[in-house]
Amino acid sequence: MTASFAAPCYWNSGTMLFSGDAVGQALCLTPAVGANGGVGGIDEGLPSTLDELVGREFDFSRDAIEAYVAAHGLRENEVGGALGLRVSRARGEPAVYFVVHDSNGPDFGSRRFSPDINVSARINDLHQFGRRWHVLIGRNGESATLIDFFSPLRSTYFETRGSAAQKKGRFLHVGLLQPIRTYAKDTVKKQNALIPQPAYTNDQYRRLAQVYVIASFRAERWLIPAFAAQLNKCAQSPVFLGGPKGFDLAKWAKALRSVYREIYSSK
């Protein structure tokens, strides 16, 4: 983990970037998000692998990525669309932020989570929420392209405020399916009961890593991760929105390291 100073997240409407270098921006934009959706403090450093990649020129060839996608049976309708298309743009500048959301549903209300939430086809229906994100990833590790990364998409409160037209296209959006319990009495004393434990499965972290690699390939640069809740907080959203609640950045970095090594070893 590399330490890096993370100033308050300040958006520069001229450059269409947050302040600081890529690692500093990632630190500012990925604070822990609690089970109730509240945003915590900023860490001192990014987990290894992320701190080595974020913001740098993408370092795998097209052949290497195509070979990996084929070897693992990944399809365009699962990982954000066609590899041959660029990512979305804003005023001619490519997307640079990889925004992670949670689905905030299905809502179990006051009921306890069923034991099959990681495998149930009904619970993991990837089209039940409409097209809120470019990609949605189920708890079983399956994913669906809802909108190609080529198409600009607003999916946070932040992107509707101020110079909204300038922001649209700078952000790629990926959702993680996460059931919730909004009316459960036991959540008054134990907020973690609001969401499943663990918050996300290993299969979700792995598929998120794969989608991140493919999105970065299309952007020709390792994208800067961001959490939707932090973006919304930056825009002074009136309520906690976006998540990803309970996300473990270190666990995702570990999954990313594994995917990176798989691609590297197959070159």
Side-chain angles (χ1 to χ4, degrees):
M1 182 178 286
T2 301
S4 178
F5 175 71
C9 304
Y10 170 75
W11 176 260
N12 185 320
S13 59
T15 62
M16 296 183 295
L17 293 168
F18 285 95
S19 58
D21 62 17
V23 170
Q25 290 180 62
L27 276 170
C28 185
L29 294 171
T30 57
V33 181
N36 67 346
V39 177
I42 296 171
D43 286 337
E44 294 183 356
L46 289 177
S48 60
T49 301
L50 274 175
D51 67 354
E52 297 160 7
L53 297 178
V54 165
R56 299 184 181 181
E57 184 177 349
F58 193 78
D59 51 342
F60 288 119
S61 68
R62 181 184 183 89
D63 288 345
I65 296 301
E66 288 181 341
Y68 179 83
V69 166
H72 290 268
L74 301 175
R75 298 173 294 183
E76 293 178 359
N77 63 359
E78 296 175 323
V79 293
L83 288 177
L85 291 178
R86 60 169 173 78
V87 293
S88 61
R89 292 178 180 267
R91 290 163 45 191
E93 295 297 325
V96 70
Y97 298 102
F98 184 86
V99 186
V100 184
H101 304 244
D102 64 49
S103 65
N104 203 43
D107 190 348
F108 278 66
S110 61
R111 294 175 293 124
R112 294 190 180 278
F113 294 121
S114 58
D116 64 346
I117 59 171
N118 295 345
V119 296
S120 165
R122 178 181 59 82
I123 293 172
N124 287 277
D125 176 7
L126 299 176
H127 298 280
Q128 64 183 297
F129 305 103
R131 302 202 304 165
R132 300 182 191 177
W133 315 279
H134 287 101
V135 175
L136 178 61
I137 303 172
R139 296 185 67 80
N140 53 11
E142 296 180 3
S143 57
T145 300
L146 305 175
I147 300 173
D148 195 294
F149 283 140
F150 175 81
S151 300
L153 174 67
R154 287 192 187 99
S155 194
T156 61
Y157 183 76
F158 173 79
E159 292 162 284
T160 69
R161 311 301 295 173
S163 53
Q166 298 175 357
K167 301 170 189 173
K168 186 178 181 181
R170 270 308 228 184
F171 302 85
L172 303 181
H173 298 281
V174 179
L176 297 172
L177 195 143
Q178 184 183 65
I180 58 170
R181 301 171 70 221
T182 51
Y183 301 109
K185 293 181 180 179
D186 58 331
T187 62
V188 175
K189 295 182 178 180
K190 187 178 179 183
Q191 286 191 349
N192 279 348
L194 287 163
I195 59 175
Q197 299 299 322
Y200 308 99
T201 66
N202 290 335
D203 289 335
Q204 282 181 298
Y205 284 117
R206 176 172 171 79
R207 179 53 58 92
L208 184 65
Q210 292 171 325
V211 172
Y212 173 72
V213 169
I214 290 169
S216 296
F217 162 71
R218 290 175 58 178
E220 300 181 352
R221 186 167 294 277
W222 291 98
L223 296 168
I224 298 172
F227 290 163
Q230 177 69 331
L231 288 176
N232 290 326
K233 182 181 178 181
C234 290
Q236 300 180 330
S237 171
V239 294
F240 295 139
L241 294 170
K245 296 182 287 290
F247 189 87
D248 189 328
L249 197 63
K251 188 174 289 188
W252 181 45
K254 183 178 180 180
L256 177 59
R257 181 163 60 250
S258 176
V259 171
Y260 188 98
R261 287 174 175 172
E262 288 168 3
I263 300 172
Y264 185 85
S265 63
S266 65
K267 289 199 302 181

